[in-house]
Amino acid sequence: MTSINRMNRLTELTEEAIEYIAVGAAVLGTGGGGDPHIGKLMAIGAIKKYGPVTVVSPEDLGDDDLVVPFSMIGAPTVMNEKIPAHEQMSKPLDLIEKELGRKITALMPIEVGGGNSLIPVIAAAERGIPVLDADAMGRAFPESQMVTFYLDGMDPSPITMADERGNAVLMHAIDGIWEERMARAVTIQMGGSASICDYPATGAQMKKSVIPHTLSLAYEIGKTLFESKEQKQHPIEALLKQLNGYALFHGKASDIRRRMEGGFTRGEATFEGTGEHKGRTMKLFFQNEFLLAVEGEQSLAVTPDLISLLDQDTGMPITTENLKYGARITAVGFPCDPKWRTPKGLDTVGPKYFGYDVPYVPIEELAAKKGADQL
């Protein structure tokens, strides 16, 4: 993907920056991470009330700073209908500070996906603290252990959660897998959606484990999509060029099957080809996020590489819960961060983990075999 040089890095989150990040994060979020529209509205509201939020880069952190990831956990379908309450933005942070006996220096998104990229902005604006220009996935994934912190053996505890009724939970887990089990169970009891803080860590630990400058990348993606028409360039062509991505399939949604299961939105969607792909069929499988795209027996893109759906005309991203019958899309794919292509990374987020009986093959190799377009 595109690297962000120092000149292009965000230093402040304004209303315009939020607009761009919401779109860019939805592209990187591979269909998940919560509704970007809801996150955008809440973040803009917080900035209007409290003022712009400062952005800091990982390399600018002090080694003893306390940085806390803050996000929503649950099924995106539920989050669309149950807007987070104010208490959900404050209680988990209050519990973390009480448990650790110190103040939080900065907040960060656990994933650069959909609404979850902007959830920390809401709390940071209210508390007057910065947001870290980084995340722990470089995309969105559905489970708590699917973070670079887990790959590095970091302790996820203390973990704090809250719902819109005022309920709050503090718990300790021995690792990210046990966190996922316990947090998912709590989330289901909280109605399928909750706020959560986990993996609080020092600046020194964060510098080693995070994927840096992903908020800046989301901003640049959003800016590209918004400005491409002004520059008389097709938005999807501009985006693929920016991210070294691949156009996998042009089609129309002909069947969508979604179900709530185990605290996730799971399902598959079928697309009939349009334009140069007329007469062909693609299937897309998801668990909150798009995880596998196939045409017949041939994989087009496989988790942990990124798969996103873009509106054929506008280039705007389409999330799993907002995909509708008849939508005309271009499916695109991008290489994941190298950390996910390690043996532990693939054990954690590869196709076998999700129950797909296909091998992981890097998208670059699949595209070369299939003749996908890289623009």
Side-chain angles (χ1 to χ4, degrees):
M1 287 192 182
T2 300
S3 61
I4 300 296
N5 63 43
R6 183 167 288 277
M7 293 296 293
N8 292 333
R9 292 176 197 169
L10 286 170
T11 57
E12 186 178 70
L13 295 179
T14 61
E15 291 181 43
E16 180 185 62
I18 295 299
E19 292 276 0
Y20 288 163
I21 290 171
V23 171
V27 173
L28 296 174
T30 63
D35 192 317
H37 182 65
I38 293 171
K40 178 185 77 173
L41 293 179
M42 293 179 68
I44 287 176
I47 286 173
K48 283 182 176 178
K49 185 174 182 179
Y50 301 107
V53 172
T54 300
V55 179
V56 294
S57 292
E59 58 268 30
D60 297 327
L61 291 172
D63 285 350
D64 294 327
D65 286 347
L66 175 60
V67 183
V68 177
F70 190 30
S71 61
M72 299 296 294
I73 180 174
T77 305
V78 174
M79 294 182 207
N80 267 3
E81 300 179 3
K82 195 168 74 160
I83 308 301
H86 174 77
E87 281 189 322
Q88 284 182 271
M89 299 295 105
S90 57
K91 278 201 169 184
L93 300 173
D94 293 339
L95 278 175
I96 284 274
E97 291 185 332
K98 183 178 180 181
E99 179 72 1
L100 295 178
R102 56 183 300 200
K103 291 292 185 182
I104 297 167
T105 306
L107 297 174
M108 65 171 283
I110 196 73
E111 59 186 357
V112 60
N116 261 345
S117 292
L118 298 172
I119 291 299
V121 177
I122 302 161
E126 181 179 354
R127 289 177 175 248
I129 59 177
V131 168
L132 185 64
D133 188 4
D135 79 304
M137 299 183 194
R139 48 162 296 162
F141 282 120
E143 298 183 15
S144 301
Q145 78 279 13
M146 296 174 176
V147 289
T148 53
F149 305 140
Y150 173 75
L151 299 186
D152 290 339
M154 287 172 55
D155 185 354
S157 304
I159 302 148
T160 58
M161 301 176 64
D163 68 9
E164 78 284 0
R165 300 176 185 86
N167 296 309
V169 172
L170 165 68
M171 59 188 178
H172 289 257
I174 59 173
D175 60 25
I177 293 174
W178 274 101
E179 180 205 348
E180 169 61 27
R181 292 176 180 175
M182 296 190 295
R184 193 67 51 180
V186 171
T187 301
I188 292 170
Q189 294 304 313
M190 286 182 167
S193 176
S195 58
I196 183 170
C197 293
D198 55 1
Y199 289 98
T202 65
Q205 290 172 307
M206 289 299 182
K207 291 174 192 178
K208 293 178 181 178
S209 287
V210 297
I211 298 176
H213 310 127
T214 46
L215 282 181
S216 290
L217 178 59
Y219 174 90
E220 292 296 329
I221 292 169
K223 187 177 181 183
T224 293
L225 291 177
F226 275 112
E227 293 183 352
S228 56
K229 286 193 174 180
E230 297 174 13
Q231 298 169 1
K232 297 182 179 178
Q233 186 175 12
H234 193 281
I236 297 177
E237 291 180 2
L239 179 63
L240 293 178
K241 187 176 293 184
Q242 180 183 24
L243 295 177
N244 299 317
Y246 300 86
L248 305 174
F249 195 84
H250 308 289
K252 180 174 70 174
S254 58
D255 185 44
I256 304 167
R257 301 185 183 186
R258 271 185 292 251
R259 62 189 183 277
M260 279 287 298
E261 186 179 284
F264 301 101
T265 301
R266 301 178 190 260
E268 65 182 70
T270 303
F271 301 86
E272 300 302 325
T274 58
E276 64 191 83
H277 292 160
K278 190 171 183 179
R280 293 158 60 176
T281 302
M282 180 186 76
K283 282 196 172 183
L284 190 57
F285 299 86
F286 54 86
Q287 179 182 319
N288 287 8
E289 285 78 33
F290 302 126
L291 298 170
L292 174 65
V294 299
E295 183 180 343
E297 299 296 316
Q298 173 70 46
S299 295
L300 301 178
V302 185
T303 178
D305 287 329
L306 286 67
I307 305 166
S308 293
L309 294 185
L310 307 177
D311 181 275
Q312 279 188 2
D313 294 325
T314 66
M316 291 296 167
I318 302 170
T319 59
T320 52
E321 70 271 17
N322 290 326
L323 177 61
K324 294 180 173 57
Y325 175 83
R328 291 183 176 270
I329 61 88
T330 293
V332 297
F334 313 104
C336 64
D337 188 88
K339 291 185 178 185
W340 296 117
R341 293 181 174 183
T342 62
K344 187 172 182 180
L346 291 175
D347 285 344
T348 305
V349 295
K352 293 293 191 295
Y353 179 85
F354 293 102
Y356 303 128
D357 190 21
V358 299
Y360 171 71
V361 180
I363 192 169
E364 306 95 295
E365 295 180 25
L366 290 174
K369 291 178 183 177
K370 191 70 178 176
D373 297 324
Q374 182 180 31
L375 299 169

